[in-house]
Amino acid sequence: MRTWRSVEAVPADLGRTVVTIGNFDGVHLGHQHVVRRAREVAHERGVDPLVVVTFDPHPFAVLRPEHAPLTLSTIPDRLRLLEQAGADDALVIPFDRQIAMWSPEEFIDRVLVDALHAAVVVVGDNFRFGHRAAGDVALLTEAGRARDYTVVGIELDGGPQVWSSTYVRACLAAGDVDGAAEALGRQFAVHGVVVEGDRLGRELGFPTANVPASALAAVPADGVYAGWLRRLDTGERYPAAISIGTNPTFAGERERRVESYVLDRTDLELYGVEVEVAFVARIRGMVRFEGAEQLVASMAHDVEEARRLLTG
């Protein structure tokens, strides 16, 4: 996938394109539905390539940082998922206050007409854009009549609950990784580099691969989960019991972590390795135990439950 990190970076000789636009955070089933429809439109109209336009960071992170949503995917993950959904190229617009001031017409002229030479623009029915989100599908369509592009509005996809990034975040905040997976079309996963911890798990007989939980990224609610740990350098995947939280049983402040115990493995050396941790099911919430003995007994039970969930 060709990726341009600014409007100015788009090649001047780019031909006519089909364009779809959005934040696409998480690339859930609703996003995939829009991209697939855009792919169909490109085929029907005989126009190539299909270019996806997204923003980094999320506009709220610039305009209302106190209300900025926790991110569901990094930009590299987002682009990978969009490519899998059918996109050919991507324009990642570095969102700042200057771009936030663009009127809908300025956004259309700078991005869709001058840079991407759009023949067709495919967006969800709820698409808003431009200064103070003043632009909508009706304005986009009307502007296209004078600028030689057409617009295809896509009805939002989902079951009783329309798929949205907000819905996925709500599921994760409740520990409902099943609900998140249903909306995403895949298991929710976090990525990070394994760091050295306090080695408490190793002392208790359950060594863990520890990944710090970013304050800006969504992770499931504190608790214990069954899932999979995958090394991104080799692709090896292991069944795991995963704990999220600060380990309230032991005194002292500690950062929130995603800690993965690979079932029946005490020999793995993962420090410094970038990993993906995917969540299959929640086993229990976070509990403060009276001491190490109770904690170890619970961890043994959690491991057996994780084994059952991952092999059943």
Side-chain angles (χ1 to χ4, degrees), residues 150-174:
T150 58
V151 175
V152 176
I154 305 298
E155 186 175 347
L156 299 183
D157 191 30
Q161 166 67 53
V162 171
W163 305 137
S164 70
S165 299
T166 299
Y167 174 73
V168 175
R169 293 186 192 99
C171 288
L172 295 174

Side-chain angles (χ1 to χ4, degrees), residues 29 67 76 158 161 171 176 203-204 213 231 233 239 244 258 266 283:
L29 290 178
H67 297 295
Q161 166 67 53
C171 288
D176 182 9
E203 292 176 9
L204 298 175
R231 296 181 60 134
D233 56 349
I244 300 177
V258 178
T266 60
I283 296 173

Side-chain angles (χ1 to χ4, degrees), residues 209-231:
N210 304 323
V211 175
S214 169
L216 302 178
V219 297
D222 287 3
V224 178
Y225 299 81
W228 299 91
L229 181 141
R230 181 168 66 93
R231 296 181 60 134

Side-chain angles (χ1 to χ4, degrees), residues 29-104:
L29 290 178
H31 295 144
Q32 295 170 41
H33 174 64
V34 172
V35 176
R36 282 197 304 270
R37 181 64 186 121
R39 180 79 270 163
E40 292 170 358
V41 169
H43 178 73
E44 293 164 2
R45 308 287 178 92
V47 177
D48 191 61
L50 166 58
V51 181
V52 62
V53 177
T54 191
F55 306 92
D56 184 30
H58 191 288
F60 268 24
V62 174
L63 301 175
R64 302 176 67 187
E66 69 279 11
H67 297 295
L70 298 175
T71 59
L72 297 171
S73 57
T74 64
I75 289 295
D77 285 337
R78 192 180 310 176
L79 297 179
R80 174 179 56 82
L81 292 165
L82 288 168
E83 184 175 22
Q84 290 175 1
D88 296 307
D89 301 323
L91 169 58
V92 181
I93 295 178
F95 194 86
D96 56 24
R97 290 194 172 274
Q98 180 179 353
I99 289 176
M101 294 299 295
W102 287 359
S103 68

Side-chain angles (χ1 to χ4, degrees), residues 96-310:
D96 56 24
R97 290 194 172 274
Q98 180 179 353
I99 289 176
M101 294 299 295
W102 287 359
S103 68
E105 292 80 7
E106 188 171 7
F107 181 89
I108 290 169
D109 288 336
R110 285 176 176 252
V111 177
L112 300 181
V113 177
D114 295 343
L116 298 179
H117 311 145
V120 187
V121 180
V122 181
V123 290
D125 280 344
N126 64 342
F127 177 64
R128 307 287 302 198
F129 67 105
H131 184 52
R132 297 187 182 277
D136 57 13
V137 176
L139 187 153
L140 187 65
T141 302
E142 178 63 29
R145 295 190 179 101
R147 293 168 172 81
D148 191 29
Y149 68 79
T150 58
V151 175
V152 176
I154 305 298
E155 186 175 347
L156 299 183
D157 191 30
Q161 166 67 53
V162 171
W163 305 137
S164 70
S165 299
T166 299
Y167 174 73
V168 175
R169 293 186 192 99
C171 288
L172 295 174
D176 182 9
V177 293
D178 289 327
E182 183 182 11
L184 291 168
R186 64 184 186 280
Q187 292 159 357
F188 177 77
V190 298
H191 301 81
V193 175
V194 176
V195 299
E196 188 166 356
D198 48 25
R199 295 182 175 265
L200 178 61
R202 185 175 296 277
E203 292 176 9
L204 298 175
F206 299 92
T208 58
N210 304 323
V211 175
S214 169
L216 302 178
V219 297
D222 287 3
V224 178
Y225 299 81
W228 299 91
L229 181 141
R230 181 168 66 93
R231 296 181 60 134
L232 297 185
D233 56 349
T234 66
E236 293 172 282
R237 191 176 79 143
Y238 310 101
I242 306 158
S243 174
I244 300 177
T246 59
N247 198 344
T249 297
F250 294 90
E253 290 189 14
R254 199 183 75 169
E255 64 181 350
R256 193 166 181 241
R257 296 177 186 166
V258 178
E259 301 182 278
S260 302
Y261 167 65
V262 174
L263 303 190
D264 306 318
R265 296 291 298 270
T266 60
D267 59 325
L268 295 175
E269 292 295 337
L270 297 174
Y271 294 137
V273 175
E274 187 174 5
V275 298
E276 174 190 81
V277 181
F279 300 87
V280 173
R282 194 177 202 216
I283 296 173
R284 62 171 174 85
M286 187 56 66
V287 177
R288 185 182 186 279
F289 296 98
E290 292 302 318
E293 185 175 344
Q294 289 185 9
L295 175 59
V296 169
S298 180
M299 293 170 71
H301 177 270
D302 295 338
V303 167
E304 290 310 308
E305 184 64 8
R307 194 190 316 278
R308 184 188 68 81
L309 290 166
L310 296 173

